[in-house]
Structures are given as structure tokens and as C-alpha cells.
Amino acid sequence: MTTTRPPAPRRARMTRVERRAQLLDVGRSLFAERGLEGASVEEVAARAGVSKPVVYEHFRRGKEELYEVVVACEVELLLGTMTASLDVTGLHPREVLERAALRLLDYVESSSDGFRILVRDSPVASTGGTFATLISDIARQVEHLLVREMDRRGLPARTAPMYAQMLVGMVALTGQWWLDTREPDKATVAAHLVNLAWNGLSGLEPDPRLDRLTAAALRVR
């Protein structure tokens, strides 16, 4: 007596929205691993289990368009995350800095592939915003916090934009370092970031100058 096996259940077809989301996930992982130049439409299709025409159906210009959309999504996600951490009232500036540092490290932890893509800062990403322009956008939101603190301390508020770039750049570069090390834990990293940034701010001089010997050496060059 022979028995027949029941037919294997057919997999449900993805909707167009689901397929596009899948291709974005595949592209994000591939670009983080190999970069734009090292990736190909063939590999995107293979990893997604579809044919090349399906990829072009969603992204007509192929991997370049897929890359731009991935970058734009990550820029929006990170900028939204950081904006939310800075959009507070009634908190001490140090607490705001702590929130911002933790939020960035949260993003690095939860969206490591996206952060790897952003920090490469490929020119192709310019339509969606590069990492450098993203940092500038965040720094502009930090300026008003610094202006308030500098006014309170009798320091020149006109330097706030410069210090905002320095602070945000320090946090971002630390996030880039932590992306691969993951040690110590993010709370400890954030605490040390704030320790350096805040205690440095508390000792700012109104009119900082280079040491006389350093300045003399620069004039000789």
C-alpha cells in the first residue's frame, strides 16, 4: 500500500509594500557588510529570493536608488531619535546631554547596519543627507541649550555654534568607536562622555588662547 504525502503548503505572496520592505532590509544588511561598490543587484535579488526584475520593479535605478532610500530612512530615524532627546523643557543641560548620548548609543545598538552605512558618508548619499550634514543638523538643535548655559556663565554666546559642533561630533565619533567594541556597556560610555563634556564646559575660559610656545611654533611653520 502506498501513501501519498500532502502537498507542501504554498507560501503566501508578499504584498508590494512587504516586498519593498524586505528589499530595504536586505539592502541595508548588504551595504553595511560590503558598501555600495561591493554590492550588486544580483546579490540583493539572491538574498531576497527574487529575480533581478523584481528589484528593478521597486528601485528602477538599481542598487544606487536602493542605497539612497536606505540612507534616507536611516537619516530620518537617527535625526528623529536625536531630536526627541533634545526636545525637552525644564531639564538641566547636563541631563539633556545624558539623554542625547544614550539615545545615540541606543540607535547604534539597535540599528548597527544603518549606522555603519551612515558613517561611511558616501557621496551617493548626498540626496538623502550625509553623516556630516546630519551631525550639523543635530548640532544646530543643540545651540540653544549652549546659548542658555553660556549666558548663565557670562560666556560669549556667539561661540555656541562652534561648541555645538564639537559636542555632537564627540558623541558621534564615540558612537562610531563603540559600534565595534561594545565595551564597556552603553550606560558607562554615556556617563564618561558626559563627564568629559560637562566638566569641560564647567571650566571654559571666556577667551581661550593657545599657549605662547605653541602659538610661536605655529608662526614658524
Side-chain angles (χ1 to χ4, degrees):
M1 181 176 179
T2 59
T3 58
T4 58
R5 294 181 179 179
R10 296 181 61 185
R11 289 186 299 175
R13 289 173 58 88
M14 286 187 181
T15 66
R16 183 174 181 82
V17 172
E18 291 171 337
R19 180 65 73 191
R20 181 179 175 85
Q22 181 210 23
L23 292 173
L24 285 171
D25 286 342
V26 169
R28 184 181 296 105
S29 176
L30 185 59
F31 294 135
E33 179 185 331
R34 301 189 180 180
L36 176 62
E37 296 304 320
S40 67
V41 171
E42 288 82 0
E43 188 157 11
V44 171
R47 291 192 182 190
V50 298
S51 62
K52 283 174 58 179
V54 171
V55 179
Y56 284 108
E57 180 184 341
H58 291 270
F59 304 97
R60 293 184 180 180
R61 291 186 289 108
K63 70 173 185 178
E64 286 78 12
E65 183 177 348
L66 175 58
Y67 182 83
E68 289 171 7
V69 175
V70 167
V71 168
C73 289
E74 292 302 320
V75 166
E76 183 178 2
L77 176 60
L78 180 53
L79 186 57
T81 296
M82 298 305 294
T83 299
S85 72
L86 298 170
D87 186 19
V88 291
T89 55
L91 288 182
H92 189 278
R94 177 166 181 157
E95 294 178 272
V96 177
L97 185 57
E98 289 174 352
R99 283 166 55 99
L102 275 173
R103 287 290 183 89
L104 176 70
L105 295 175
D106 283 341
Y107 170 78
V108 172
E109 185 175 57
S110 63
S111 188
S112 298
D113 284 347
F115 191 67
R116 287 184 195 281
I117 293 168
L118 290 181
V119 296
R120 283 197 178 100
D121 206 14
S122 171
V124 179
S126 59
T127 57
T130 65
F131 190 60
T133 57
L134 176 64
I135 292 302
S136 293
D137 287 342
I138 296 171
R140 278 191 289 271
Q141 297 180 51
V142 174
E143 285 178 24
H144 74 280
L145 298 172
L146 291 180
V147 167
R148 185 178 68 190
E149 188 63 19
M150 286 176 159
D151 280 342
R152 191 177 73 83
R153 294 174 180 272
L155 298 169
R158 68 179 183 278
T159 59
M162 178 174 62
Y163 281 110
Q165 291 284 342
M166 293 174 183
L167 277 174
V168 175
M170 180 179 72
V171 174
L173 284 174
T174 302
Q176 190 173 351
W177 163 78
W178 191 72
L179 176 65
D180 294 315
T181 64
R182 298 303 173 97
E183 290 182 0
D185 62 89
K186 64 185 176 185
T188 301
V189 174
H192 281 281
L193 263 172
V194 175
N195 182 38
L196 173 61
W198 186 255
N199 288 324
L201 283 173
S202 66
L204 282 180
E205 299 172 352
D207 186 23
R209 300 293 179 93
L210 291 176
D211 178 83
R212 287 187 300 107
L213 293 177
T214 303
L218 287 173
R219 286 195 295 270
V220 171
R221 293 179 183 177

